[in-house]
Amino acid sequence: MKEIMHRFFPLSIILVLGLGGCYSKSPLIVETSPSMTPLHMPLSTTPSEGESADETLQTDDIKLVADLKDLDIDSFYNQSYLRLWGRDPETVTILGLANIFSQNNDQLTDISDSYILETQVMEKEILALLNLYDRQSMTADQQVTYDVFKWYLVDLVSSHEFMYNDYLINATVYSVHTSLLQLFTDYQPLKTEQDAKAYIARLFQVDRKMSQVVEGLNRRAEAGVILPSFLLSWVTQEINQIAQSEAQSTPYYRAFYDKTKIIPGLSEQDRTQLLEEAKEAINSSVLPGYKKLVLCLSDQSQKATNDAGVWKFPNGKAYYAYTLRHYTTTVMNADQIHALGKEQLDRIHADMRVIFDQLGYPQNKDLPGLFEKVAQDSGMVPGDEMVSVFEGLISNAETLFQDAFDIRPKAKVIVQGAELGGYYMPPAVDGSRPGIFYATIS
């Protein structure tokens, strides 16, 4: 375990972040992605000159990480990171790491304020403990892990003051309602009868999860954070479709119905019983939870405006500055980033012009006109052919990169049609699920 986690550790951080932590702000609460080094982010929990790192740990909170003290650095990396990941059972399932965490894929991630705040305390404490280690005495590999882990923790702790600045429910795949549904329909394993029971156990927790979402939305509304109305109405309509459905017509039931057909050794009688239990869970937990969420969103629609942008938040300027650092890994300000973007756009457009000239396209057309001509010349792909087209592109790429790379992905990638596609989810680490590219078919 130690060797596996040490080798995997730096990549595992990036992997979780690349998911868009679709699920979190640690690996836990809101989305993250690779950002800045610790040197760019001074932090109140980092000991200042003359201050002992021990002093940053509060006596009342030390119990959360007491067993992480005085470990050798590799053990500390492993155990502290496992401790953080273990607080997010949904991501553990998505990554296929339930065995490592001794989890049964039967718990939803707690997103209540009390749980989030406890997690934040743990993040601060782990960072303070990390600061106790002497980086100069480490091996080169250990120093790389130290730098990555410290960046990760600094970024997490820096985000704490912006706890209510995200949109829990939004119009992207990173919305809680979307990621929750995807957990059940795409990522929840259903290969054994025990898997089926774990699926049902999670269904019974959806009402509680949605209550936590509603609480979080209300707290954000109090802080002036409400999704713009032009998006809120769209999302509410989407959620209401499930809220008003019969249990057996929901995606939660349909996925369970289809996948339990192929569970080896599952008798028809046992399957029928499991289907009844799933229907009961949807009726008593999933649908009530969705209805609570619809009521909350409908209430917020009365207060929402069409204003879009974090400038409208009370702490929007500070949040925007944090977000720039988080996503760009730089200390550049907005004007500098905008200027850099324009420079790169001019460069790319110039490169395009060269290619259009080589193709014999008219030089007097602007770029939108040239793109339209490309579409006319190349033809359009109808939605029902998108999956097969992308499969062909992937197959062609796999053939071409045989000559370019001597290290190639072990996991397969499949294409799955979706109403809102254009994104990719990595494979499970344990090899139980391939990578999935979601192609828009609408």
Side-chain angles (χ1 to χ4, degrees):
M1 163 71 81
K2 178 178 177 180
E3 180 181 1
I4 292 173
M5 289 304 293
H6 180 63
R7 290 185 177 183
F8 175 65
F9 177 73
L11 292 179
S12 67
I13 293 178
I14 295 170
L15 178 58
V16 172
L17 300 179
L19 285 176
C22 356
Y23 300 93
S24 6
K25 208 177 220 171
S26 64
L28 309 170
I29 307 307
V30 291
E31 65 204 83
T32 58
S33 66
S35 71
M36 72 234 78
T37 67
L39 297 177
H40 296 312
M41 293 267 299
L43 189 67
S44 60
T45 52
T46 303
S48 59
E49 187 175 351
E51 177 187 7
S52 167
D54 279 318
E55 293 172 2
T56 67
L57 293 175
Q58 302 301 312
T59 304
D60 292 341
D61 299 324
I62 192 67
K63 61 182 182 295
L64 289 173
V65 296
D67 57 338
L68 297 178
K69 293 191 70 175
D70 303 321
L71 297 174
D72 66 84
I73 189 60
D74 287 332
S75 297
F76 176 77
Y77 289 152
N78 296 340
Q79 295 305 313
S80 59
Y81 198 55
L82 286 171
R83 181 72 54 83
L84 290 174
W85 257 12
R87 294 181 69 80
D88 187 8
E90 291 176 29
T91 296
V92 168
T93 295
I94 291 168
L95 294 179
L97 295 175
N99 289 336
I100 288 179
F101 289 89
S102 300
Q103 294 183 5
N104 297 319
N105 295 314
D106 60 356
Q107 298 295 312
L108 295 181
T109 300
D110 191 336
I111 58 171
S112 64
D113 263 29
S114 59
Y115 191 80
I116 293 171
L117 292 171
E118 184 180 75
T119 300
Q120 291 178 349
V121 169
M122 181 182 293
E123 291 163 355
K124 290 179 181 178
E125 292 173 354
I126 290 174
L127 176 59
L129 287 175
L130 181 65
N131 286 326
L132 293 172
Y133 290 88
D134 178 16
R135 183 184 181 279
Q136 298 306 315
S137 66
M138 298 177 190
T139 67
D141 283 349
Q142 289 170 337
Q143 288 180 348
V144 170
T145 301
Y146 179 93
D147 293 340
V148 174
F149 198 24
K150 186 165 183 177
W151 161 79
Y152 179 60
L153 292 168
V154 167
D155 185 62
L156 289 179
V157 177
S158 298
S159 73
H160 291 173
E161 65 178 293
F162 308 113
M163 178 174 167
Y164 298 124
N165 281 91
D166 63 320
Y167 294 121
L168 281 179
I169 300 297
N170 56 69
T172 75
V173 296
Y174 303 122
S175 177
V176 173
H177 78 286
T178 304
S179 58
L180 182 68
L181 179 59
Q182 203 165 45
L183 171 73
F184 281 94
T185 58
D186 291 351
Y187 304 126
Q188 181 81 13
L190 269 174
K191 298 181 178 179
T192 67
E193 184 175 357
Q194 185 59 42
D195 288 343
K197 291 179 179 178
Y199 188 107
I200 294 169
R202 272 182 164 162
L203 286 176
F204 275 111
Q205 298 167 46
V206 172
D207 186 37
R208 185 190 67 180
K209 178 90 171 188
M210 292 305 189
S211 294
Q212 292 173 349
V213 172
V214 168
E215 178 187 357
L217 289 171
N218 288 335
R219 288 185 181 275
R220 284 161 177 76
E222 292 171 4
V225 178
I226 299 177
L227 194 67
S229 55
F230 65 91
L231 292 174
L232 191 54
S233 59
W234 179 21
V235 173
T236 303
Q237 182 179 8
E238 177 187 357
I239 295 171
N240 196 43
Q241 288 178 348
I242 292 181
Q244 300 304 321
S245 296
E246 296 293 329
Q248 289 165 282
S249 63
T250 65
Y252 292 93
Y253 184 89
R254 293 199 304 269
F256 189 73
Y257 182 90
D258 291 340
K259 293 180 181 180
T260 52
K261 285 181 181 177
I262 55 176
I263 293 179
L266 182 64
S267 69
E268 192 57 36
Q269 180 180 356
D270 288 341
R271 177 170 178 264
T272 300
Q273 177 62 32
L274 290 169
L275 290 172
E276 284 300 312
E277 292 175 11
K279 186 164 67 172
E280 178 189 351
I282 293 170
N283 280 323
S284 65
S285 178
V286 177
L287 297 180
Y290 268 75
K291 289 173 182 175
K292 287 179 187 176
L293 183 54
V294 169
L295 286 175
C296 175
L297 295 176
S298 298
D299 178 64
Q300 291 199 352
S301 69
Q302 306 302 312
K303 310 167 189 174
T305 69
N306 274 325
D307 291 337
V310 300
W311 57 265
K312 66 179 182 177
F313 300 166
N315 61 346
K317 186 175 182 179
Y319 179 57
Y320 191 70
Y322 160 74
T323 304
L324 285 180
R325 295 193 302 270
H326 173 81
Y327 283 106
T328 69
T329 76
T330 74
V331 292
M332 298 171 68
N333 62 37
D335 290 337
Q336 291 170 322
I337 293 171
H338 183 63
L340 177 62
K342 290 173 65 176
E343 291 174 7
Q344 295 303 311
L345 199 59
D346 290 342
R347 176 186 61 79
I348 293 169
H349 285 177
D351 290 345
M352 288 180 177
R353 281 288 180 183
V354 172
I355 296 173
F356 280 127
D357 289 345
Q358 292 173 348
L359 293 172
Y361 276 37
Q363 294 184 338
N364 61 346
K365 275 187 176 292
D366 58 12
L367 284 174
L370 291 170
F371 285 131
E372 184 177 351
K373 181 169 174 55
V374 169
Q376 292 171 349
D377 292 350
S378 303
M380 303 295 288
V381 179
D384 59 358
E385 295 179 16
M386 287 302 294
V387 170
S388 61
V389 167
F390 275 111
E391 287 174 341
L393 290 170
I394 291 172
S395 177
N396 187 47
E398 288 175 340
T399 300
L400 291 174
F401 71 43
Q402 301 296 326
D403 296 331
F405 299 97
D406 58 356
I407 299 176
R408 293 181 286 275
K410 293 181 180 179
K412 296 292 184 182
V413 57
I414 63 173
V415 182
Q416 186 164 311
E419 287 299 306
L420 292 174
Y423 63 98
Y424 168 81
M425 294 298 286
V429 176
D430 66 357
S432 61
R433 189 192 66 252
I436 305 173
F437 175 72
Y438 293 88
T440 302
I441 58 174
S442 58

